[in-house]
Structure formats: structure tokens, C-alpha cells
Amino acid sequence: MTVETVDVVVIGSGFGGAIPAYHCAAAGARVVILERGPRLNTSQFAQDMAIGSYTRTIDTIIGDGITVLAGNCVGGSSVVYFAASLRAPSFVFDRHGGQGQRLWPAAISRAALDPWYDRVEAALPVAQQAWTDVSYAGGVFAAACARAGRTCNPVPVAVDLERCTNCNWMLSGCVFDAKRSLLHNYLPAAEAAGAQIRPLHEVQMISPALTPNFRYRVTALRYDTDGLVAATECMEAKVVVLAAGAVGTPIILQRSAVLLGSMPRAVGRYFSGNGDRVSVAVMNDDRVRNVLRLSTSAGSGYDAFPVGKAITAMTFDRLDGSRPEFERFALQQIYFPPMTNLLGAAPGWWGPSKKQMRQRWRSWLTILAMTEDENEGSFGLPPPVGSFTRIAPALALGSMSYRPSPDTRLGWALADAELKAVMERDGLATVTPWHEEAGGVVTAHPLGSCRIGDDPETSALDSRHELRGHPGLFVTDAAAVPTTLCVNPSLTVAALAERAAPFVHERLAASGVSVRPLSTGLNQELTS
């Protein structure tokens, strides 16, 4: 078997992979990005409900007590996410959880991360929506908040608002090039600087290199377009950046321990769903019209769930740092296409009452609560191949389990109560949690399974994102985020990846790679 040698192998092409890949390539390093999923361009995205449209780019991974929705394509979740781009509140970085000590590294605070947030917001770029950009569903949510004495604000998004047609097909990939996914910024810039992107490559293991002066060997399965294994490929690198997602990253490290040596105790532990809690408010059309004095152009009070962008409005009223931990959360208006309703459904979502509820789908207004959890998830033994056991296209069984603690349940209960106080006031709606049974978590925001920190007992990575005991092996994806964020994680994951890039650069230089100084931001000329 021929073994290729490069300076850097980046595993994963989402925010955590694309950003270090760009900076390394722009500095002159030889970079290869390995991505498990396919590569699609704008013309290949589809605005339809065909199973094949979703199964190309999204995986639904069912664990014990938690189900994760994750991107599976070049660009990762940035291609299929709803583009809400928010900075985490300051109190998040001072969280102690139930461990009695600060969970984030002392070197990272909101103030310390702000320059990296600035850099990402300029690179994507992020736009602040005005009320004229907010969907009808978001406007109804804002009006309900105002009537209940709460505030509500438009959400900043990584979307070209002038180009956006408000078609609400963001989950399928944007056919209008309005969503500023990584396909429009960091990835083309990385390729222009010389990086190679190799789709349909699923990394199985990292092991010691055999070639002198190289540190790690990365072994991957290369798939053909039918999903069959075409070859096993190996390459050796001086630095490896692991960004396979909070589900994939710990599995690769678990499997690699046989040859790399023991892994930090925190690998595959402290897994979190970002405290996500989805609820469905079924709106009363007459009450919306008569109480809120709102109506659509067709004259109905609501009947507008699928109209407009997926995320447009949210209330930050409970993101108050003076409140006790586990009592702070955000409530965000969000849209879920019917396909995800089916894929994310638990046993509690079957039966006559839920069937009747689904018949009123256009009257739904779904709300995402992002709360504080205890990072109580963990991973079992890795599957023989890949990051999970695939049972159908886009559907898989994962090895993760999640048992919510009393503190986590308290946060959910408070979020439920607040949502009911807003949406059920004056009979506007009837609110039902997505999963009423205990522990039925559905999240698109998995975090924490290989987290940074100062304590070697409770963190797998040091504050530089380097895996403890394994120099030159960095983790820069959502697995590194040590706690829930109370907002959508993508911007924080990206800011942390920007912050980690100089440390990767330093390790490259120390490994004998001749690299130029790092750029201070994304070279926009490279993306054109």
C-alpha cells in the first residue's frame, strides 16, 4: 500500500476543520482535508421532500436517550444548518456545573474570544436581521412575547439577506447561494491556497507514523458514489486536526487508543446536546387574529409555519448571568421540515392525538429552548467501522447514551414553564414538548465529547486544543466545547477554531515545516 505524506491532515470539513485547514494552507503547509460525506454544489441541491435529497447530506444518529442530527457532506453542518450565528453569553465561560470548578480554561472568556468572533463574523459574513426580515412565525412569537411582558429580537444569521428568497429550504442546502456556508468562504479559500478536499473518505484510525520525521498515520476508507468501500487509504502527517464532529471525533480516538496509547479519561465523556429542548405550540388561528391583531395576507391568523427563514426571532430574557446555574436559557423560534419530524420522532410521537396534531402542521410554531445541562452523556465501545452503525440511508445507531440529571431537568422544566406563560396566555396556543418521555433528547447541537479545560481529569484537551499526551493532534470541532452555550453553537465553534489555528501553526513550525506567518483573517480574494 502506498502511503502519502503531507504536512497536515484535517479530518472533517465543517467549521472545526475548514478554518484550521485554510490557515495552514495559506501559511504554505501541504494540507489534505478528508470528509466522510459527498461533495455537492449549488446546482445539486434540491427543494423537494424526496428521501434522496435529505439522505445525501444529513445523518440521524439514534443513541440511548438522545438522537443527533448531523451534516454529512463537504462543508459539514454549515451546508444544512439554519445559519443562526450568535455569541455565547459571558456567564457561559464561568460555568462550574456540578463539579465545583470552572469548566472552561482560564485563558478563555467571552472577552478573550470576542476578537475571534469578530474574525468569523467578517469571514462568513454574518448579517443582523431587521424586523422586516423576520418570518411571520417569528413575528407572531415576538408579539406573544410582548403581550406577556417579555422582549424578543431578530436573530443574526450567516445569510446574504438581499439574495435570500425566504424559501425555507435551508436544510436541503441553499440553491440560491444566499446561505453563507463554508462552501462560500473558508473552503474555497483553503483550496485556492493549495489544500486538497477529498470527499467520501471516512477516517477509521489514527496511529503512529512509520515514515521518519512524521508523527501520525491516518487510515481511511474511500467510498464510491454507491456507498461501497472502494479502497483503504493511508497518509502520514506531522500534524493532525481532528474535526469529525462531537459524535465522530471521540469514536476515532477510542479506536486509535490501541496503537496510539492511552487516551485522556475525558475522551467520549461529558457529551452534551447543548441543553436543547424542542416544543410545539399549536396556534389558535382566531386568538392570534383577535388577541394579537395579526393576520396573513390570506386573512388567517396564522397558518404560516413553513413560511420564511427557519430562525428569525428569539428572546434572551432568561440569559441573565445573575440567575443560578441551570436556570438560564434562551427561547428561539425555529422551523423543522416534515422530514425531520419523522426522522426525529420517538415512540411518544405516535398515536391518535399526535396524528391529529400533525394534521395541523401549518398551525405549528416550534420553539427551541437552549438550556444548561450537566454534560451527562457518554460513549460506549466504538463500532467496528465508522462512527456509528448505519441501518438505512441517513439513519444510524450510535454508541452514545444520555441520562439527564435533576439539574438538567430543572432547566427544561423552567424553559417549559416560561414558554407556556408566553404562548398559552390568552389561549393563543397549546404547547407540547417534542418529547414528553424522560430523556428523549433530539439535538442538532452535539458538544463536549472531547473537551478543552485546565483539569486533566475532566478535559481531554489543553487550552491550546491539543490532545493531552499526544502532541501535534488537535481537536477543533464541537467536541471541544466544554459546556452548553445557551445559543446556537456554530459561531462559537468557529471562533474557537480561529483561536486554535495559531497553536496548530506553532506546532507545524516546531515540527520542521516551513510556514509563513498566519493571516489575520480570511483572504476574501481567495474565495472569489
Side-chain angles (χ1 to χ4, degrees), residues 3-260:
V3 178
E4 183 180 359
T5 57
V6 296
D7 296 325
V8 187
V9 171
V10 178
I11 303 169
S13 62
F15 288 104
I19 291 172
Y22 159 69
H23 285 292
C24 291
R30 296 173 299 150
V31 178
V32 171
I33 304 169
L34 301 179
E35 166 58 48
R36 180 184 65 196
R39 183 166 194 166
L40 302 175
N41 58 41
T42 302
S43 65
Q44 293 172 297
F45 297 138
Q47 291 187 340
D48 59 46
M49 292 301 300
I51 291 290
S53 297
Y54 286 96
T55 57
R56 292 182 302 173
T57 55
I58 295 175
D59 280 321
T60 300
I61 308 161
I62 303 170
D64 180 7
I66 188 167
T67 295
V68 173
L69 304 176
N72 179 42
C73 56
V74 171
S77 293
S78 80
V79 175
V80 298
Y81 80 149
F82 292 157
S85 302
L86 299 113
R87 302 188 184 200
S90 296
F91 67 76
V92 161
F93 302 94
D94 293 320
R95 285 198 60 198
H96 286 64
Q99 298 181 17
Q101 61 182 0
R102 194 176 192 269
L103 298 175
W104 285 77
I108 301 179
S109 64
R110 167 60 186 271
L113 203 58
D114 273 339
W116 307 106
Y117 278 129
D118 291 341
R119 196 174 279 192
V120 175
E121 287 173 345
L124 292 178
V126 174
Q128 175 59 59
Q129 294 184 98
W131 283 113
T132 52
D133 300 307
V134 169
S135 67
Y136 189 77
V140 168
F141 179 58
C145 286
R147 186 168 181 82
R150 276 71 166 180
T151 66
C152 191
N153 294 277
V155 177
V157 290
V159 172
D160 182 336
L161 298 176
E162 293 185 2
R163 185 184 289 266
C164 180
T165 66
N166 291 299
C167 67
N168 212 353
W169 285 95
M170 296 179 81
L171 191 68
S172 304
C174 182
V175 302
F176 302 105
D177 281 340
K179 181 164 61 174
R180 310 317 292 170
S181 75
L182 294 168
L183 302 179
H184 298 285
N185 34 70
Y186 286 99
L187 287 176
E191 286 189 301
Q196 297 181 34
I197 301 174
R198 299 182 186 176
L200 300 176
H201 281 69
E202 184 173 43
V203 171
Q204 303 300 307
M205 180 180 290
I206 304 168
S207 57
L210 302 178
T211 305
N213 300 320
F214 287 81
R215 185 172 275 117
Y216 295 109
R217 172 175 289 200
V218 176
T219 302
L221 298 179
R222 176 169 57 84
Y223 294 95
D224 62 22
T225 54
D226 293 322
L228 301 176
V229 176
T232 299
E233 297 184 0
C234 294
M235 59 182 59
E236 295 189 343
K238 299 188 176 184
V239 168
V240 171
V241 176
L242 180 50
V247 173
T249 286
I251 297 295
I252 292 171
L253 292 177
Q254 286 178 325
R255 191 180 291 120
S256 301
V258 175
L259 295 177
L260 275 185

